[in-house]
Amino acid sequence: FTENGIHTLLLKGQGNALLYPIPLHRQCGDIDLYVGRKNYEEACRLVHEWGIANSEEESESEKHLHFEWNKVTIEIHRTTTLLYHPKANKRFLEWSEAQLKDSPYSFVPQNETERVTVASPEFNAVFIFYHAFYNFMNGGIGLRQLCDWARCLHMHKEELKDVDMEKRLKELSILTPWKVMGYIAVHYLGLPKEDFPCYDETAKKKAEAVLAMIQKEGNFGAYRPKKYKRPDNYMLGKLYSFFTTEARDIHIARIFPSFVILKFFYYLYSGIVHFFLDYWKR
């Protein structure tokens, strides 16, 4: 990508491995490369031209192109994530592009010579958190994702002292879940209280409810019983996904009611749009 004039930045994953005492002990999930909206189409064209991505096996979402290469999952990101609140999402996209366009932060992987660009401590603290929270809302997370976040806050505590984190989180409308997940990081993962911005003792009840769901469901909902198979029929499949999602959201609504409402309308709108797009393709 660099040789073709495309700036890339490593998100999450192996960039977070540097936060651990022994980086190679941090299990690799997928590789997330951010290229931005401007370079996204060209980046996708190149991976097809090189034969890295196989159009029969890949998938594409609003955020990225997703494919397997050398038995590793690769995601080419045009954007980082999506917030349910429209205004907060607009602010986050603008902040993301400004932060990631010319990030001065980088590292040289072990036994390599090329530098790999990563995000700033402030962006990572917010993004790693929200990525975990987004996955919690949409299917479940494992403690590894919260461990990454806790390590980020701990290792960058000095840099984050100069950041008005509360103001940033309020602008993005995610202060409440930040405090809830933070209670877990402090009381169950060993993060020193003084390393956590915006600590709130009153988040205990909601934090314990979230932790119970994490332990019960497993990473990405791996432990949830799959009683029924999604129907092959297109419309029945859509309805199946909708009702199974809403059944889980009923439980989450007791913890994060406003986020469940925003998520409901977001996915209702998105579902209708995708239905008509799929219809016209057929």
Side-chain angles (χ1 to χ4, degrees):
F1 280 149
T2 302
E3 290 172 0
N4 283 271
I6 297 177
H7 172 70
T8 62
L9 182 142
L10 182 64
L11 294 171
K12 306 186 275 105
Q14 294 312 96
N16 296 339
L18 295 174
L19 304 171
Y20 290 85
I22 304 177
L24 292 177
H25 283 186
R26 197 271 185 189
Q27 183 183 9
C28 176
D30 51 19
I31 302 297
D32 299 83
L33 284 178
Y34 175 84
V35 297
R37 287 184 282 189
K38 180 181 177 181
N39 292 320
Y40 178 75
E41 295 297 332
E42 177 64 8
C44 292
R45 186 190 70 78
L46 287 171
V47 294
H48 287 114
E49 181 181 299
W50 298 330
I52 293 175
N54 184 335
S55 58
E56 294 181 0
E57 298 176 356
E58 70 186 35
S59 62
E60 190 172 20
S61 71
E62 295 173 89
K63 295 184 291 184
H64 53 65
L65 177 73
H66 172 113
F67 59 91
E68 297 284 322
W69 182 48
N70 288 347
K71 299 182 180 179
V72 177
T73 299
I74 310 291
E75 292 180 356
I76 307 297
H77 282 256
R78 71 179 111 199
T79 187
T80 49
T81 192
L82 297 169
L83 279 70
Y84 301 127
H85 193 293
K87 287 185 178 179
N89 186 57
K90 184 174 183 294
R91 293 191 195 106
F92 189 81
L93 289 176
E94 291 171 351
W95 183 52
S96 294
E97 293 197 353
Q99 283 274 312
L100 304 182
K101 183 179 179 181
D102 298 303
S103 174
Y105 298 88
S106 63
F107 71 98
V108 179
Q110 186 175 341
N111 301 323
E112 297 291 339
T113 57
E114 296 292 332
R115 300 196 71 83
V116 177
T117 306
V118 292
S120 70
E122 179 188 0
F123 182 83
N124 264 338
V126 175
F127 177 60
I128 295 170
F129 154 71
Y130 186 73
H131 180 257
F133 177 64
Y134 181 86
N135 283 338
F136 170 76
M137 292 293 295
N138 286 279
I141 58 173
L143 288 176
R144 184 186 69 177
Q145 295 181 48
L146 294 184
C147 287
D148 283 350
W149 180 47
R151 290 297 299 175
C152 177
L153 293 170
H154 178 64
M155 295 299 291
H156 296 301
K157 58 186 176 183
E158 294 303 320
E159 295 98 318
L160 294 175
K161 283 180 181 178
D162 299 326
V163 176
D164 189 346
M165 193 63 76
E166 184 171 3
K167 180 182 178 181
R168 176 71 63 192
L169 297 168
K170 283 182 177 179
E171 288 175 350
L172 300 176
S173 303
I174 53 175
L175 181 59
T176 296
W178 171 279
K179 291 179 177 180
V180 171
M181 297 297 189
Y183 187 94
I184 296 174
V186 170
H187 289 274
Y188 293 93
L189 299 180
L191 178 68
K193 190 183 296 185
E194 58 271 19
D195 293 355
F196 183 72
C198 310
Y199 176 78
D200 187 352
E201 190 70 31
T202 64
K204 177 180 179 180
K205 186 175 180 180
K206 289 187 175 183
E208 290 180 343
V210 168
L211 184 60
M213 287 190 70
I214 291 173
Q215 293 173 324
K216 182 179 179 181
E217 295 182 330
N219 194 32
F220 296 107
Y223 299 154
R224 286 208 306 273
K226 296 176 175 57
K227 296 181 180 179
Y228 307 103
K229 181 182 177 182
R230 178 187 167 111
D232 294 329
N233 178 273
Y234 179 83
M235 282 302 299
L236 291 177
K238 287 288 187 184
L239 289 171
Y240 171 85
S241 296
F242 177 79
F243 285 114
T244 52
T245 297
E246 291 312 307
R248 182 175 180 271
D249 283 350
I250 290 172
H251 296 287
I252 300 178
R254 292 176 291 182
I255 311 171
F256 302 117
S258 61
F259 286 91
V260 170
I261 293 170
L262 286 169
K263 178 189 169 186
F264 173 82
F265 286 107
Y266 173 83
Y267 278 102
L268 184 64
Y269 168 77
S270 178
I272 292 172
V273 169
H274 282 91
F275 169 77
F276 283 106
L277 288 175
D278 290 345
Y279 177 81
W280 288 114
K281 286 179 183 178
R282 297 169 70 181

